[in-house]
Structure formats: structure tokens, C-alpha cells
Amino acid sequence: MSQTKYSTILRQCRLLGTDGRSTVDIAIDNNKIAAISPKIPELGEWEIDIQGKLVCPPFVESHIHLDSALTAGEPRWNHSGTLFEGIQIWGERKQSLTLEDVKTRAIETLKQQASQGILFVRTHADVSEPTLTALQGLLSVREAVKDWMTLQVVAFPQDGIYGSPENDKLLETALEMGADAVGGIPHYELTREDGVKSVQRIFELAEKYNRLIDIHCDEIDDEQSRFLEVVAACAIRSGAGSRVTASHTTAFGSYNNAYAFKLMGILQKSRLNFIANPLINITLQGRADTYPKRRGMTRVKELWQQGLNVSLGHDCVRDPWYSLGTGNMLDVAHMAVHVCQMTGMEEIAACFQMVTENGAQTLFLGDENYGIAAGKPANLIVLDADSCYDAIRRRAAVRYVISRGKLLAETVPAKTSFL
Ligand code: 17E
Ligand code: FE2
């Protein structure tokens, strides 16, 4: 006779990459995935019939600025739509930051993200501000949400490490305070030489404090902005490539093909991770162009074809750089499919991986902490979709979000009747 053995069983789940009608039952116990098989004979205290919908690991938001989230329009709107006006406006807004202000906006954004199936987030915290309020706020949020969300904090010197004399020290203090990763912005330093020096300094600090690296790198349309090669060279020499991420790298979309070809060889040796942010960079870049107007995206398809790890980020949810943003990773993947022209079926599936597994690899979560397999933590989502293609096309609702074995959020998809 069947007996209750597990706390939860999800019946008839369709896993990614499985064809046809085959489904599995997934049992959860003690916050872990306890069993996966076509038919689990035992009962769960709580059971849901998933009815063949897609069950996959949670979305990973590999690049967001939670310190500036939900501040769009404060103190004014970004009229030019450029990165530089955004940095200026944020420079004004950050004068009035308080811990409460940072924490409230960050937690509200994280709840929106979790409700849409994200359970792993890497946020940048601006550390080029003398009180380190953004960093302190986000470190305490990391602690406050840890029972339902994994948050990584990057110490990010928005105004440059050498933009003013105290910034280098502030960056190091941020690491002493517990930031998970070191960031930088070499293309915004005053000179090319300062940019190179900043990358070297980031690697030195990462080694000293044993931290990950995530650099805002070449986020500009200037084809002369070539800090990615410096990051790759440091990664090759230090052997740290898989712990290092180059974010944005939009100038790579403007490099001449001869240079891009040479660079690709160096990148392959480096084993760097890449993050593209298609929603924002399609609006931020190309602003100095007339026509033809560049897309300002890094070479996502080519990096993927070369077997490099690429993930996708939202970057902003209603801030001085991007007043839109919903936190929904399917919006990000949908935009990537368009802007990167990844419309083939395998390419669409790759874009889905870029907001799930590849993000987990970028965050260096470790194989044992992410994915759907017996013995792993029970973090998973149920999409109101039959396949990842269907999910991206319709930006399907996330029906259930299960975090650490517990139901964290539930969405009832909108229903329309044609009369
Ligand atoms: N800061 C920056 O340098 N670049 C961005 N895309 C954002 C903040 C959002
Ligand atoms: Fe960013």
C-alpha cells in the first residue's frame, strides 16, 4: 500500500530537453530533491499535478544594480538615454542614500524577482561613495533574504577606481566588509593607462581577498575601447578565468573583424564568463550614431558558438539608466533572441540556458547547488509552458516557485475568453 513518504511530490513534470509526452514525478523532502522517476509510488503530504508543464531550475539574474533599482526619475529623468547621463543622475541621487532607502528598494525588487522565478541574484553595489551606504545596505539584505534567495554582492566603483583619490581604499574596504566579488569600470577611468591599471588592481585584490571578479568592461561603442583583452590576459596569467566575468563588453560589437577574430582566440584560452544585458544596451548604446545605428551588443552568438559561457542580465529595474525593467528573465531572453538574432530553435534554447544554467556557472554556484537532480537543494520553478521555446515566445507565467523545498510564490496565469 502507498504511504506518505515525502513532504511534497510534483506529478507529471516535463523536464528541459525531454521530447514528446514523457514526464517525471519529483519528490521533495528535507529541502532537497529526494527522488525523480517516471512514477513515484509513495505519496507526498502535499502533491501538485503539473500536467506536463515545464519544470526547470530557477532563473539566475547574473547582473543587476539593486542599489539604484526603483529610483527612475529621481531627481530627474535621463533625457539623452546615455550611460553617462545615467551616471550623473545616479551621482545626484546617491547623495541622499540611507540604509533604509537601499534596503527597502532592494528587498522589494528581490521579491518581484523571486515571484518571477529568480532564486539567484548577483547585484552590483556602488562603492565610489564615501559612506559605503549602498554596500552596507546590500550586505544586510544578503543576510535578510538568505532563507529564500541567494544574493551575491559585487563591490563596484561606479566612478572609477582612480577617478578620485579615496576610491581605491573604498574598494578594498568593501572587500574587508564582505563583498563577494570585485568590480571595475576600466572604460570610464580617466585614461587608457588608468583603465589597464584598474584591471590589474582588481585581480590583485581578488587574489588577496579570495573573491570573484565581475568587471563592467568596454560598455561603450568606441571600437578603441579594448580592456577585454586586458581582462583576458590577466585571467590567463592568473588561471582564474572561470571565477572572472566580463560584463556588457558592448564595444566588442564594434571591433573590426580582424581584431575580433584574434581576440576570440585569446578569450577561448581565458575561459572568462560573459554577461550581456540586451534590454538596456539596445537602448543605451548607439546614441552617438545617426544611421546606420549600431545595436551596441557584444557578440553573444559568436561567444556561444565558441563554447564560452555567456549569461544574460536585466541590469536595471527602473533606474537612471533604464526606466523600464520588470525583473522578468524571460523578457531578457526574448530581447536577446531578437537583438542577437538567435532565432534558430537551438539558439532559442541557448538563450534560455543563458538565464538559467549559464548564470549559475557565472555565479560560480557549484554543480551541487544548482539543477534538478536527486540530492540537490529543492530550488525549482514550474512554467506555464510546454518548452523553453514556448516560455520565451509567450514570456510564460511562472506558475510555482519552490525555494529550499517550500512554495515561495504562485502565479495564476491570465485567462482570456474570445467572445
Ligand atoms: N552603471 C554602469 O556603469 N553601467 C550600467 N549599465 C548601469 C550602471 C546600469
Ligand atoms: Fe551594469
Side-chain angles (χ1 to χ4, degrees):
M1 205 183 76
S2 296
Q3 59 191 61
T4 304
K5 181 170 175 198
Y6 301 110
S7 58
T8 304
I9 299 182
L10 311 181
R11 301 279 182 197
Q12 299 199 70
C13 310
R14 184 181 309 282
L15 298 180
L16 274 171
T18 53
D19 292 328
R21 311 254 117 236
S22 66
T23 61
V24 293
D25 293 349
I26 300 177
I28 296 172
D29 213 44
N30 284 326
N31 310 334
K32 293 221 150 101
I33 297 175
I36 303 179
S37 85
K39 180 85 191 93
I40 293 177
E42 293 89 356
L43 299 176
E45 281 162 41
W46 182 60
E47 300 214 359
I48 337 176
D49 185 359
I50 302 301
Q51 299 179 330
K53 298 293 184 199
L54 188 65
V55 175
C56 66
F59 291 125
V60 178
E61 172 54 272
S62 53
H63 190 120
I64 185 139
H65 298 254
L66 287 178
D67 52 359
S68 53
L70 315 184
T71 66
E74 299 170 13
R76 59 200 168 85
W77 297 92
N78 186 336
H79 289 296
S80 67
T82 59
L83 169 68
F84 302 102
E85 187 173 345
I87 294 176
Q88 241 172 16
I89 297 170
W90 172 240
E92 293 163 30
R93 177 60 175 81
K94 75 188 180 193
Q95 307 294 325
S96 63
L97 285 183
T98 63
L99 283 178
E100 239 4 79
D101 170 37
V102 174
K103 289 197 302 205
T104 310
R105 287 184 289 97
I107 289 180
E108 189 180 333
T109 310
L110 287 165
K111 284 184 183 163
Q112 286 174 18
Q113 291 173 310
S115 305
Q116 299 178 88
I118 300 171
L119 293 180
F120 300 91
V121 171
R122 175 179 284 179
T123 180
H124 295 261
D126 184 358
V127 295
S128 49
E129 167 267 311
T131 60
L132 291 179
T133 305
L135 180 85
Q136 287 183 58
L138 292 180
L139 290 178
S140 69
V141 169
R142 182 179 70 184
E143 184 61 24
V145 302
K146 70 173 194 298
D147 291 342
W148 49 276
M149 168 75 85
T150 301
L151 182 62
Q152 282 184 358
V153 181
V154 184
F156 171 52
Q158 174 70 79
D159 300 336
I161 300 181
Y162 302 111
S164 61
E166 58 280 6
N167 284 2
D168 187 8
K169 183 76 199 93
L170 285 167
L171 179 59
E172 184 155 7
T173 306
L175 299 176
E176 283 162 0
M177 287 167 61
D180 301 280
V182 199
I185 184 163
H187 55 278
Y188 193 66
E189 298 287 353
L190 296 175
T191 63
R192 156 96 200 160
E193 289 69 23
D194 280 1
V196 172
K197 196 166 83 163
S198 77
V199 173
Q200 289 161 345
R201 178 73 178 136
I202 291 161
F203 274 80
E204 189 182 289
L205 286 169
E207 197 183 329
K208 180 169 173 194
Y209 292 91
N210 189 25
R211 302 297 153 85
L212 301 171
I213 292 174
D214 190 333
I215 301 176
H216 279 64
C217 189
D218 301 315
E219 190 187 13
I220 190 164
D221 292 319
D222 176 10
E223 73 285 354
Q224 305 286 331
S225 185
R226 294 183 172 186
F227 296 103
L228 180 53
E229 66 181 19
V230 183
V231 175
C234 290
I236 292 169
R237 290 183 191 127
S238 65
S242 58
R243 296 168 56 92
V244 180
T245 299
S247 279
H248 296 287
T249 64
T250 58
F252 198 0
S254 289
Y255 296 156
N256 69 70
N257 284 333
Y259 175 66
F261 183 80
K262 174 203 139 176
L263 179 62
M264 199 60 98
I266 299 174
L267 297 178
Q268 274 187 312
K269 274 198 214 132
S270 74
R271 309 310 302 163
L272 290 177
N273 302 291
F274 293 84
I275 301 176
N277 299 288
L279 287 169
I280 169 160
N281 283 126
I282 194 66
T283 73
L284 217 55
Q285 308 312 130
R287 293 283 179 162
D289 292 351
T290 54
Y291 289 92
K293 198 183 277 290
R294 283 170 289 178
R295 292 170 184 232
M297 273 293 285
T298 193
R299 300 192 188 203
V300 171
K301 194 197 288 199
E302 292 75 12
L303 288 164
W304 167 69
Q305 285 168 337
Q306 295 299 321
L308 285 153
N309 186 49
V310 184
S311 61
L312 302 171
H314 220 97
D315 205 10
C316 305
V317 175
R318 298 205 284 120
D319 73 9
W321 293 275
Y322 185 61
S323 60
L324 302 141
T326 57
N328 184 344
M329 294 313 290
L330 290 174
D331 285 351
V332 180
H334 190 262
M335 184 58 92
V337 167
H338 288 78
V339 177
C340 309
Q341 298 189 326
M342 293 186 68
T343 48
M345 277 301 127
E346 280 179 19
E347 293 167 350
I348 291 176
C351 289
F352 193 84
Q353 275 192 345
M354 289 178 194
V355 292
T356 51
E357 284 166 44
N358 296 10
Q361 194 176 328
T362 301
L363 266 57
F364 213 69
L365 296 176
D367 192 45
E368 67 287 6
N369 294 314
Y370 186 85
I372 297 193
K376 293 194 186 191
N379 297 318
L380 48 87
I381 61 176
V382 179
L383 283 151
D384 181 37
D386 303 330
S387 63
C388 60
Y389 156 60
D390 186 33
I392 291 181
R393 187 181 72 83
R394 294 187 298 109
R395 276 144 292 158
V398 179
R399 190 75 186 80
Y400 302 105
V401 181
I402 295 182
S403 172
R404 284 71 162 154
K406 296 189 182 60
L407 185 63
L408 181 68
E410 184 179 348
T411 297
V412 180
K415 186 166 175 289
T416 306
S417 306
F418 181 77
L419 305 172

